[in-house]
Amino acid sequence: GIQVEQSPPDLILQEGANSTLRCNFSDSVNNLQWFHQNPWGQLINLFYIPSGTKQNGRLSATTVATERYSLLYISSSQTTDSGVYFCAVCETGANNLFFGTGTRLTVIP
Amino acid sequence: EPEVTQTPSHQVTQMGQEVILRCVPISNHLYFYWYRQILGQKVEFLVSFYNNEISEKSEIFDDQFSVERPDGSNFTLKIRSTKLEDSAMYFCASDRGRETQYFGPGTRLLVL
């Protein structure tokens, strides 16, 4: 199956700092989503972004499908941004999502 | 905004017992999924369901698992004889196909 790698595995930031999370995948995809898993375990949709760039407030994401990677940018981080960020992809021709191992973000005041 | 709902939020069961996890997908969605996440690990796909039948399943989804859409709104996951290693968070998801998959809040299952 498709391989999804995320980096870094752990990230600690001072409140107000910016960060970039990376997701590499091993094959062509027809879906790529970024999620934030909050401390209660809920998976919150951030972006559906199989290609191109999107922005939502302090968050933005870019996927370069031809080079098989996606980036999630978090600007002016807040303590509520803490949690695990997952990238998940669908292989072309499939519907189910394959998840990466996540980046655990801790924002300290 | 419509959302996927799941019940119960938590379930504790004894090894060997049957459990049924329930989900109500978003009403105009066509594809339904179950995923699980063992504590501290990544989310893993179990099964997808379309047009009243299983469309894809993973190696995890063995004979002790089954899914059903008993009516027009509910989507269930049954584990026939639970094992300790079935302890996990189980997520239901739905979409309209080739679009954003929306996840429910999860059911945390603990097998003792």
Side-chain angles (χ1 to χ4, degrees):
Chain A
I2 193 167
Q3 304 298 312
V4 184
E5 296 180 356
Q6 291 187 243
S7 59
D10 293 279
L11 186 59
I12 300 175
L13 296 178
Q14 200 78 41
E15 199 169 22
N18 303 328
S19 63
T20 301
L21 282 57
R22 187 177 180 103
C23 172
N24 292 331
F25 44 95
S26 60
D27 211 339
S28 60
V29 299
N30 59 31
N31 180 2
L32 188 146
Q33 293 182 229
W34 282 97
F35 296 89
H36 175 216
Q37 186 164 42
N38 65 22
W40 297 271
Q42 294 177 321
L43 288 167
I44 311 299
N45 274 308
L46 298 177
F47 294 103
Y48 168 81
I49 187 164
S51 63
T53 297
K54 290 186 178 179
Q55 180 155 8
N56 185 2
R58 295 182 296 103
L59 302 182
S60 63
T62 295
T63 297
V64 184
T66 52
E67 297 186 23
R68 300 183 182 166
Y69 73 88
S70 183
L71 302 174
L72 177 69
Y73 305 96
I74 305 174
S75 64
S76 304
S77 57
Q78 301 175 358
T79 55
T80 52
D81 295 332
S82 295
V84 183
Y85 289 80
F86 287 104
C87 165
V89 303
C90 279
E91 289 181 279
T92 300
N95 286 314
N96 53 289
L97 288 171
F98 284 93
F99 281 72
T101 50
T103 292
R104 181 174 298 277
L105 174 66
T106 304
V107 181
I108 54 178
Chain B
E1 182 176 313
E3 57 185 21
V4 177
T5 60
Q6 291 186 241
T7 54
S9 58
H10 294 78
Q11 177 139 9
V12 181
T13 191
Q14 294 290 323
M15 192 168 56
Q17 295 296 303
E18 174 184 286
V19 295
I20 298 176
L21 310 183
R22 291 181 167 82
C23 168
V24 179
I26 294 173
S27 62
N28 63 348
H29 285 186
L30 302 174
Y31 293 82
F32 315 118
Y33 309 85
W34 285 101
Y35 294 82
R36 79 171 187 190
Q37 184 183 30
I38 295 171
L39 188 63
Q41 298 186 20
K42 66 179 181 180
V43 179
E44 300 173 290
F45 166 73
L46 292 178
V47 65
S48 61
F49 195 85
Y50 170 73
N51 201 25
N52 284 320
E53 60 183 21
I54 291 173
S55 53
E56 295 172 71
K57 60 181 181 179
S58 71
E59 292 175 353
I60 304 168
F61 193 86
D62 62 23
D63 290 345
Q64 73 159 349
F65 290 93
S66 62
V67 289
E68 195 177 33
R69 189 155 162 82
D71 53 41
S73 60
N74 289 285
F75 179 50
T76 62
L77 174 69
K78 181 193 290 186
I79 309 175
R80 259 180 274 283
S81 177
T82 50
K83 306 172 192 171
L84 296 177
E85 54 264 38
D86 293 327
S87 295
M89 179 80 100
Y90 288 80
F91 293 102
C92 174
S94 70
D95 66 32
R96 293 186 294 189
R98 301 286 189 264
E99 294 184 356
T100 304
Q101 270 188 40
Y102 291 90
F103 280 68
T107 293
R108 195 175 294 280
L109 176 65
L110 178 61
V111 182
L112 301 177

